[in-house]
Amino acid sequence: NAGVTQTPKFQVLKTGQSMTLQCAQDMNHEYMSWYRQDPGMGLRLIHYSVGAGITDQGEVPNGYNVSRSTTEDFPLRLLSAAPSQTSVYFCASSSGQLGAEAFFGQGTRLTVV
Amino acid sequence: AQKITQTQPGMFVQEKEAVTLDCTYDTSDPSYGLFWYKQPSSGEMIFLIYQGSYDQQNATEGRYSLNFQKARKSANLVISASQLGDSAMYFCAMRDNQAGTALIFGKGTTLSVSS
């Protein structure tokens, strides 16, 4: 059972570099989302998607882009990395029903220097 | 707007004791769901328990129970008979229909269980 797979697990970027965090799920879930976790801040929603071709902004979307071309994949793009984007990033998916639990990937620890 | 508040940054408990982790929420939607997740030091997010706004009874899952007080907008997690392996960060989260289907999280409570 793969569930939600995030790659890479660790990444160090230089300020101004770009990169894409990958997220894939094999549960045929319509709903996917990206969070960042910072000490003392909990998990904050960056972007989410309610299905292929549909995305929307969460609480902290600035500096991040997303797209959803397939049900399975929901990549997160950092166009020009900044030290403030140093964080742990989690991708999650769910069936979208009100009571459905969200399944999380293992997280990506990103450091921007 | 939705909001989840966890006011206890850290909690300490001894093995075999019960502990309550507080969570209050705010939403204007009458239909919502409340979740608790555990994050051990290894970093993964583990689903513990769910309570729906229309559920008549408090949710229970093994040693976990949810003390749901709708009028007070609180959804406290109760862990009975604490174990060393319960030491972790605990997050309360909510989903309602206004925000689509993404969970909104509180800032978390770190639980430390000692022997």
Side-chain angles (χ1 to χ4, degrees), chain A residues 2-3 13 15 20 33 38-40 44 50-51 53-54 56 61-62 65-67 94 100 112:
Chain A
L13 285 180
T15 297
T20 299
S33 48
D38 302 292
R44 292 182 292 171
V50 299
I54 306 169
D56 206 348
N62 291 342
N65 280 352
V66 292
S67 60
S94 76
V112 183

Side-chain angles (χ1 to χ4, degrees), chain B residues 20-21 23 25 33-37 47-52 55 57-70 74-79 92-93:
Chain B
T20 297
L21 306 183
C23 173
Y25 60 91
L34 296 154
F35 301 76
W36 278 91
Y37 281 82
F47 167 73
L48 295 178
I49 196 167
Y50 166 78
Q51 179 85 43
D55 292 344
Q57 293 189 326
N58 287 342
T60 60
E61 288 287 348
R63 294 187 299 110
Y64 304 108
S65 61
L66 205 152
N67 183 1
F68 181 48
Q69 298 187 43
K70 196 169 182 177
S74 74
N76 299 337
L77 178 70
V78 181
I79 305 175
C92 180

